[in-house]
């Protein structure tokens, strides 16, 4: 109790941008699940509540008090063992929007005026059994630009996981839509079909582009999804969900920049004050900490402060999307992360793939392979206490489809060739072990290489070499893949067909296999 009072006092003295008004209320056990605190429903102690910058914890009666201004969202940080009420669209209701005057006028509607601050803002939580072993479903960039692409997303992704069991929640990593914020509602209706509680975060295509300052770029997002920065717990995992798009770009007031405002980094620091050090901290945002082109699109000082905050936690993971490729990044002391164990960021492959491009499959949906050769899909993160393992699921394929093997169909016997056997191991990263053998012989290591994937080059070349227009839209130009391996083609074997077998071991110790073949013929 003393800790709560002291923290509140410090926050009041240090309030920046808040009027001297206090929001108060209770976090309580909502036994009848009606969303209201009834007399017989007791408060829950030691639960964090935030105004998106400050964080306080409830007292022994479940009561909290926190500063609030005229543009605030107050939210409860769900503790393990409880869940908030889920609305008819499977969106968690864990927040209260306080905008007495509503959102500023914009092309897309924001929050309507909410009026005076209620006397008590109460958050009901429903007790539930939460296991420390669980799985989360992750979507990167649905990003439909029109209703036709909403249908592609629904048929190509949502239908595949509709009614999924034993997955307590899902999360979309931004770019929920493509600039037209009127598509938020169709997107929500599509994801509702998955049938599980769903969390969301904001991407650079989910913003109010007519906003003149970053704090106002998320008004329409807030009207549909609530706070753009929030946190929740499940088992021994603490999730922090952030908007990491600065708009307009503070460098020139044009476009956007990856990074955080000071109040956002304050929220992360304040929130983590109440998280046990032995828990896994999972941070989710849209723009990765480092973009593949390394073109200075994330503000250095923000990353530095973030790393400083996280350095006290031995178990961390961050999730991002945005790039429409898939890669693993590890940040150690050379990258400014002052901890013996590097920080892992998983840049997740997208559900829209290469922006719904490419040939159409038999269902009329674009195959949409990404520029690094990763097929479109989604991820499952399997948590066990404070550890995790990740599986990437290619849409429309079985779960064991984890790599693409590319080799020439026919090669001249006995003649040296610069062609090679290439393996795109979708979840791979430099340092993973990828082996191959021919005709069941001895296993040989493949060489990690950073170059464009020849199997993806072939898909693009089809569009450029065709003499008749194909249905669909040309794929984007290839870029270097960070999960590609090469092996030589033996040509000193008998003429005829020869089998290729590949074995790849990922960073979590799981082994995957794939097969292909090539044919040797006498040179002409």
């Amino acid at each position: 109790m003393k800790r709560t009072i002291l923290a509140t006092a410090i926050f009041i003295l240090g309030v920046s941008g808040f009027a001297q008004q206090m929001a108060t209320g209770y976090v309580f056990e909502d036994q009848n699940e009606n969303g209201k605190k009834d007399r017989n429903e007791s408060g829950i102690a030691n639960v964090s509540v935030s105004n998106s910058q400050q964080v306080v914890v409830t007292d022994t009666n479940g009561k909290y008090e926190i500063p609030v201004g005229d543009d605030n969202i107050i939210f409860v940080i769900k503790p393990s063992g409880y869940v908030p009420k889920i609305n008819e669209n499977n969106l968690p209701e864990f927040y209260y929007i306080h905008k007495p005057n509503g959102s500023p006028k914009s092309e897309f509607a924001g929050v309507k005026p909410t009026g005076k601050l209620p006397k008590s803002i109460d958050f009901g939580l429903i007790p539930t059994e939460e296991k420390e072993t669980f799985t989360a479903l992750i979507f990167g960039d649905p990003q439909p630009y029109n209703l036709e692409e909403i249908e592609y997303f629904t048929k190509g992704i949502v239908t595949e996981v509709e009614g999924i069991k034993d997955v307590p929640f899902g999360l979309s990593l931004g770019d929920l839509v493509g600039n037209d914020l009127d598509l938020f509602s169709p997107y929500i209706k599509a994801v509702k079909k998955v049938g599980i509680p769903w969390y969301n975060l904001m991407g650079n295509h989910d913003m109010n582009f007519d906003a003149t300052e970053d704090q106002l770029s998320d008004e329409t997002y807030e009207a549909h999804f609530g706070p753009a920065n929030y946190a929740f717990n499940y088992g021994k995992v603490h999730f922090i969900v952030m908007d990491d798009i600065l708009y307009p770009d503070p460098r020139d007031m044009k476009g956007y920049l990856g990074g955080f405002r000071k109040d956002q980094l304050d929220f992360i620091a304040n929130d983590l004050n109440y998280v046990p050090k032995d828990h896994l901290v999972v941070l989710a945002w849209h723009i990765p900490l480092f973009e593949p082109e390394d073109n200075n699109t994330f503000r250095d000082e923000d990353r530095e402060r973030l790393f400083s905050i996280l350095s006290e936690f031995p178990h961390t993971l961050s999730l991002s999307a945005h790039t429409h490729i898939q890669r693993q990044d590890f940040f150690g002391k050379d990258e400014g992360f002052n901890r013996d164990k590097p920080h892992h960021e998983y840049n997740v492959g997208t559900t829209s793939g290469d922006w719904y491009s490419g040939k159409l499959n038999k269902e009329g949906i674009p195959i949409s392979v990404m520029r690094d050769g990763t097929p479109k899909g989604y991820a499952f993160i399997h948590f066990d206490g404070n550890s995790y393992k990740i599986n990437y699921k290619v849409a429309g394929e079985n779960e064991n489809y984890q790599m693409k093997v590319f080799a020439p169909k026919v090669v001249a016997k006995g003649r040296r060739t610069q062609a090679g056997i290439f393996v795109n191991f979708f979840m791979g990263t430099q340092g993973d072990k990828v082996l191959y053998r021919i005709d069941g012989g001895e296993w040989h290591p493949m060489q990690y290489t950073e170059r464009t994937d020849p199997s993806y080059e072939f898909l693009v070349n089809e569009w450029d070499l065709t003499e008749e227009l194909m249905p669909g839209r040309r794929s984007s130009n290839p870029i270097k893949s960070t999960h590609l391996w090469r092996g030589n083609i033996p040509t000193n074997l008998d003429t005829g067909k020869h089998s290729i077998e590949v074995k790849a071991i990922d960073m979590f110790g799981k082994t995957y296999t794939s097969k292909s073949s090539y044919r040797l013929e006498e040179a002409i």
Side-chain angles (χ1 to χ4, degrees), residues 265-286:
L265 289 168
D266 287 346
F267 166 65
I268 295 175
N270 294 332
D271 170 49
L272 288 176
N273 282 335
Y274 302 103
V275 177
K277 295 294 193 296
D278 66 336
H279 283 208
L280 171 64
V281 177
V282 176
L283 305 104
W285 40 62
H286 183 64

Side-chain angles (χ1 to χ4, degrees), residues 367-409:
I367 61 172
S368 205
V369 177
M370 289 173 268
R371 297 167 293 161
D372 66 343
T374 305
K376 71 177 180 181
Y378 46 91
F380 291 102
I381 306 183
H382 309 288
F383 297 99
D384 186 358
N386 59 16
S387 65
Y388 63 91
K389 294 181 179 180
I390 304 172
N391 288 112
Y392 183 69
K393 172 66 172 64
V394 174
E397 299 285 350
N398 67 58
E399 61 182 15
N400 293 319
Y401 182 61
Q402 295 292 318
M403 67 186 87
K404 172 75 172 178
V405 180
F406 177 88
K409 293 183 182 300

Side-chain angles (χ1 to χ4, degrees), residues 407-422:
K409 293 183 182 300
V410 60
V411 179
K413 173 180 166 57
R415 181 179 292 175
R416 294 179 63 183
T417 177
Q418 294 186 25
I421 299 168
F422 288 87

Side-chain angles (χ1 to χ4, degrees), residues 13 37 49 73 76 87 99 133 217 257 261 272 312 324 450 458 472 499:
L13 291 173
K37 188 179 185 306
V49 177
I73 300 182
V76 62
N87 70 14
K99 294 179 187 283
T133 301
S217 65
L257 174 67
R261 302 186 306 270
L272 288 176
E312 298 182 11
H324 293 261
E450 288 196 16
F458 177 79
S499 66

Side-chain angles (χ1 to χ4, degrees), residues 54-183:
Q54 282 80 30
V55 177
V56 297
V57 296
T58 57
D59 64 17
T60 55
N61 296 314
K63 188 176 182 180
Y64 72 90
E65 198 173 58
I66 196 165
V68 64
D70 287 339
D71 183 6
N72 259 167
I73 300 182
I74 309 298
F75 59 89
V76 62
I77 297 175
K78 184 196 91 64
S80 297
Y82 292 89
V83 292
K85 186 178 179 181
I86 305 301
N87 70 14
E88 68 277 7
N89 291 313
N90 289 331
L91 300 177
E93 295 185 328
F94 60 95
Y95 58 89
Y96 174 81
I97 300 178
H98 179 61
K99 294 179 187 283
N101 302 313
S103 297
K105 187 176 180 180
S106 177
E107 177 184 359
F108 298 101
V111 178
K112 295 179 180 179
T114 58
K116 293 181 179 180
L117 190 70
K119 291 182 179 179
S120 185
I121 301 174
D122 301 330
F123 298 106
L125 295 174
I126 304 164
T128 188
E129 180 185 359
E130 286 186 357
K131 298 179 181 179
E132 292 188 0
T133 301
F134 66 97
T135 298
L137 173 57
I138 309 296
F139 284 176
D141 293 55
Q143 204 170 341
Y145 283 84
N146 50 52
L147 290 175
E148 180 182 39
E149 291 182 352
I150 286 278
E151 193 68 10
Y152 290 155
F153 170 63
T154 303
K155 289 183 177 180
I157 300 293
V158 173
T159 300
E160 192 167 294
V161 292
E162 187 172 351
I164 195 167
K165 304 296 183 184
D166 300 321
V167 175
F169 64 88
L171 169 66
S172 290
L173 297 173
D175 282 0
L176 312 177
V177 299
N179 300 335
D180 181 358
L181 306 191
D182 285 338
L183 292 173

Side-chain angles (χ1 to χ4, degrees), residues 123-309:
F123 298 106
L125 295 174
I126 304 164
T128 188
E129 180 185 359
E130 286 186 357
K131 298 179 181 179
E132 292 188 0
T133 301
F134 66 97
T135 298
L137 173 57
I138 309 296
F139 284 176
D141 293 55
Q143 204 170 341
Y145 283 84
N146 50 52
L147 290 175
E148 180 182 39
E149 291 182 352
I150 286 278
E151 193 68 10
Y152 290 155
F153 170 63
T154 303
K155 289 183 177 180
I157 300 293
V158 173
T159 300
E160 192 167 294
V161 292
E162 187 172 351
I164 195 167
K165 304 296 183 184
D166 300 321
V167 175
F169 64 88
L171 169 66
S172 290
L173 297 173
D175 282 0
L176 312 177
V177 299
N179 300 335
D180 181 358
L181 306 191
D182 285 338
L183 292 173
F184 277 154
S185 291
Y187 158 80
I188 290 170
K189 290 180 181 178
V191 177
K192 174 185 177 181
K193 296 178 181 179
V194 180
I196 59 177
W198 204 268
Y199 293 93
N200 295 278
L201 63 82
M202 195 173 84
N204 56 289
H205 289 282
D206 301 321
M207 301 187 297
N208 295 94
F209 288 106
D210 49 2
T212 56
E213 55 183 298
D214 186 51
Q215 291 91 332
L216 300 178
S217 65
D218 57 0
E219 295 293 317
T220 302
Y221 174 92
E222 289 179 341
H224 289 82
F225 304 102
N229 307 286
Y230 60 96
F232 62 95
N233 296 278
Y234 199 102
K236 287 190 72 173
V237 186
H238 183 74
F239 295 87
I240 302 176
V241 179
M242 300 297 296
D243 160 22
D244 72 341
I245 306 113
L246 298 171
Y247 179 84
D249 186 334
R251 297 173 297 186
D252 57 9
M253 301 305 290
K254 298 177 182 178
Y256 61 87
L257 174 67
F260 302 103
R261 302 186 306 270
K262 179 183 181 300
D263 63 282
Q264 293 176 293
L265 289 168
D266 287 346
F267 166 65
I268 295 175
N270 294 332
D271 170 49
L272 288 176
N273 282 335
Y274 302 103
V275 177
K277 295 294 193 296
D278 66 336
H279 283 208
L280 171 64
V281 177
V282 176
L283 305 104
W285 40 62
H286 183 64
I287 298 177
L289 297 175
F290 284 117
E291 291 214 50
E293 295 82 6
D294 196 21
N295 54 1
N296 195 28
T297 53
F298 201 99
R299 196 158 61 179
D300 291 340
E301 56 265 37
D302 300 343
R303 183 171 49 244
E304 290 168 5
R305 186 181 171 201
L306 174 71
F307 283 173
S308 177
I309 294 169

Side-chain angles (χ1 to χ4, degrees), residues 5-42:
I5 294 171
L6 176 60
T8 303
I10 292 172
F11 293 147
I12 293 172
L13 291 173
V15 165
S16 171
F18 291 105
Q20 293 301 306
Q21 189 176 13
M22 300 298 289
T24 186
Y26 291 87
V27 179
F28 66 97
E29 284 198 7
D30 191 7
Q31 296 174 2
N32 58 9
E33 301 183 20
N34 67 353
K36 298 178 181 179
K37 188 179 185 306
D38 299 314
R39 289 184 178 181
N40 64 331
E41 292 177 328
S42 57

Side-chain angles (χ1 to χ4, degrees), residues 502-515:
V502 177
K503 177 169 62 176
I505 305 170
D506 70 13
M507 70 186 80
F508 307 108
K510 190 168 183 179
T511 299
Y512 299 95
T513 59
S514 186
K515 294 181 179 181

